[in-house]
Each structure stands twice: as structure tokens, then as C-alpha cells.
Amino acid sequence: MVSKPDFLSGSGQDQFRPELQLESPEGELHLRFYIPSHQEFALQATGIREVIELSPDRITPIPNASPLLLGTLNLRGRLIWVADLGQFLGDATPLNTDKSEIPVIAIEDQDIIVGLGVDQICGMGWLDAKHLMPPNNIPDTMAPFLRGEWLDTNNNKYLRLIDQTAILRSARWAG
């Protein structure tokens, strides 16, 4: 008789250890990140093509392009634009490109892909849209690109939900 390892049969002492039990998630999976002014944002995971950290020299600057754009990037053989998300949203603090790696979130809708340069990636989290509130006290330049916000009552900070489709389809790219 061949016995199965404990992890296949579900038996053994690990079965009841609470730290190994997965929580049942509520809401949808989101990527959380910061822009240079230390504001926290989230993007729905379903609209994200890829998250990469890359050396700034992999982003090719484009002369006479919009100041919102850092340049272009070759992403698996496809040329994509990379923007400073904070500046795109109207934030005054530019992304620091004088560091070893820049986090870039490649968002996609239909056949359009754009890379968003951010200051720091926080990680993934389950966020429930039932608790989403209309954005409050935000600059007019940011309003069209937000779906809402959650209030973190522990530290009285807001986590704002980005509307990636509004970013991809914005006339601001022409500027």
C-alpha cells in the first residue's frame, strides 16, 4: 500500500493551522501603488497587462512629445508609450527617474496598451466596490480618471480607484 503525502490527502497536523487557511476574498483583486506625492491608488487587476520594474535607460525619450510622457518601451516586441502617472493626473511632483529601477504598470483596453510609471508598488489586495465612495476633495485634473475612493479609517487616508479606460482614451495624450 502506497500512502499519499499529507498535502495531497488533506490529512496531517497542518490541516487545522489557522495561518495556512486562505481567507475567502471579498470584492475584486486590485494592484495598489503610490505616485511620487505619496498618494495611494488602486487599479483593477483585470485591466493590467503586466507590472515590470525596469532601468530608466530602457525607456527611450521622444523629442517634442507631451511632458506627461517619459518615452517609449519595447514590451515583448511591442512599442508602448510610458507616462508619468502622477503628472498625468495633474500632480505637481514629477516621477524620480534618477534611480536604478522604475515600476511601470502596463494597462490594456481592447488593443491599446500604455505604461504608467509610478513611484512604488504596494502589492495586490481584495477591495470591495460596495464600500467605494464618490471621490472627495480631489483636483479637477484628477476627477475624470477616478471611479471612487475607499477611506482607510485606521490612518484616515484615501485609496483612490483609477479608471484605466478613461486614462487610455483620454484626449490629454495629444497635449
Side-chain angles (χ1 to χ4, degrees):
M1 179 175 154
V2 177
S3 66
K4 292 182 189 173
D6 285 344
F7 64 86
L8 290 178
S9 65
S11 63
Q13 65 191 40
D14 287 347
Q15 186 176 5
F16 300 106
R17 287 176 47 197
E19 68 271 20
L20 296 179
Q21 303 297 314
L22 292 175
E23 288 181 33
S24 59
E26 286 189 29
E28 295 182 24
L29 194 56
H30 290 77
L31 177 70
R32 296 174 67 161
F33 57 91
Y34 288 97
I35 61 172
S37 62
H38 305 291
Q39 295 180 67
E40 189 177 4
F41 291 89
L43 271 167
Q44 240 181 336
T46 54
I48 297 172
R49 165 91 177 245
E50 193 167 340
V51 177
I52 48 179
E53 296 222 343
L54 51 90
S55 169
D57 63 4
R58 295 221 12 237
I59 299 172
T60 306
I62 303 297
N64 304 319
S66 165
L68 305 173
L69 294 169
L70 299 172
T72 59
L73 164 68
N74 183 336
L75 182 66
R76 309 214 189 305
R78 184 165 178 187
L79 200 62
I80 65 166
W81 290 97
V82 179
D84 177 337
L85 179 60
Q87 295 226 303
F88 182 87
L89 295 174
D91 196 72
T93 310
L95 184 64
N96 177 10
T97 56
D98 190 25
K99 54 186 183 178
S100 61
E101 291 193 326
I102 298 173
V104 174
I105 305 165
I107 59 172
E108 180 176 32
D109 182 51
Q110 295 175 353
D111 202 30
I112 302 170
I113 301 176
V114 171
L116 304 174
V118 298
D119 189 52
Q120 179 186 354
I121 304 281
C122 305
M124 301 295 286
W126 294 95
L127 299 169
D128 196 345
K130 287 188 296 193
H131 304 293
L132 195 63
M133 304 176 300
N136 184 13
N137 197 21
I138 56 166
D140 291 342
T141 55
M142 197 179 285
F145 307 106
L146 297 181
R147 288 187 177 163
E149 64 190 11
W150 292 276
L151 174 62
D152 182 350
T153 51
N154 295 334
N155 59 17
N156 207 28
K157 286 190 170 185
Y158 289 97
L159 171 61
R160 296 186 167 125
L161 179 59
I162 297 276
D163 181 344
Q164 58 251 48
T165 305
I167 287 177
L168 288 166
R169 306 218 177 275
S170 172
R172 199 169 286 181
W173 295 117

